[in-house]
Amino acid sequence: MEAIDIPIILLVEDDPDDAELTLHALKKSNLKNQVVWVKDGVSALDYIFLEGEFSNLTAESRPALVLLDLQLPKIDGLEVLGRIRKDERSRNLLVVILTSSDDDEDIIKSYDLFANSYIQKPVDFQSFVSTVQHLGMYWMVLNK
């Protein structure tokens, strides 16, 4: 029997509480995807391009979906998104902005850089969990 590749989700989030909530919500939605969590823009790019601390990984480790916060240390989310879109290896990678920002300028810049979606994190716990569950189901199961 042939092994089925389960796509990886890369969570780029510097806030441990938001990361924990996101991981909990994805697990609760019964997605089988492995979720890799990195805490800054440099680590995100290293993971996507298999460089730096992730240079020992293979191409199969590349994510199918990136959940990207905008306010990140070292390199911000918009810069990460721009670099993803400029590189042939990652140009078609699904990138969903998952951030607390509701700034119109952030939304416009994200879509100008070809984000697949922009979602503002709900403040309420239940709403946050529900949003992430729907997000995971849509992008990893329903979307083609």
Side-chain angles (χ1 to χ4, degrees):
M1 187 172 180
E2 194 174 311
I4 298 173
D5 289 329
I6 299 176
I8 293 171
I9 298 171
L10 178 63
L11 173 61
V12 187
E13 173 60 66
D14 64 318
D15 183 302
D17 293 331
D18 284 355
E20 192 62 40
L21 278 175
T22 304
L23 294 168
H24 171 74
L26 289 169
K27 187 175 183 176
K28 194 173 176 183
S29 66
N30 293 319
L31 290 175
K32 303 294 183 220
N33 305 78
Q34 176 187 356
V35 181
V36 175
W37 171 34
V38 296
K39 300 172 181 136
D40 61 66
V42 171
S43 294
L45 291 170
D46 282 351
Y47 189 88
I48 290 164
F49 297 117
L50 308 177
E51 298 172 346
E53 65 181 296
F54 301 105
S55 62
N56 61 327
L57 299 178
T58 64
E60 290 78 31
S61 299
R62 284 203 170 99
L65 171 66
V66 177
L67 301 178
L68 180 63
D69 190 18
L70 292 183
Q71 288 81 36
L72 296 170
K74 299 183 182 180
I75 298 176
D76 72 32
L78 289 172
E79 178 70 20
V80 171
L81 178 59
R83 291 189 192 183
I84 289 170
R85 294 300 184 233
K86 286 179 185 171
D87 194 291
E88 234 176 77
R89 298 169 290 173
S90 58
R91 183 172 293 138
N92 295 320
L93 180 60
L94 294 173
V95 180
V96 174
I97 304 300
L98 183 61
T99 187
S100 56
S101 174
D102 67 347
D103 182 27
D104 288 341
E105 192 171 320
D106 283 342
I107 296 167
I108 291 166
K109 285 180 181 176
S110 295
Y111 283 121
D112 282 349
L113 291 168
F114 303 103
N116 294 92
S117 187
Y118 188 104
I119 298 173
Q120 183 184 7
K121 296 174 192 172
V123 177
D124 171 76
F125 172 78
Q126 284 298 68
S127 297
F128 185 91
V129 170
S130 177
T131 297
V132 172
Q133 285 179 311
H134 287 95
L135 167 78
M137 289 299 293
Y138 177 77
W139 288 107
M140 298 313 301
V141 177
L142 300 173
N143 184 58
K144 300 292 178 200

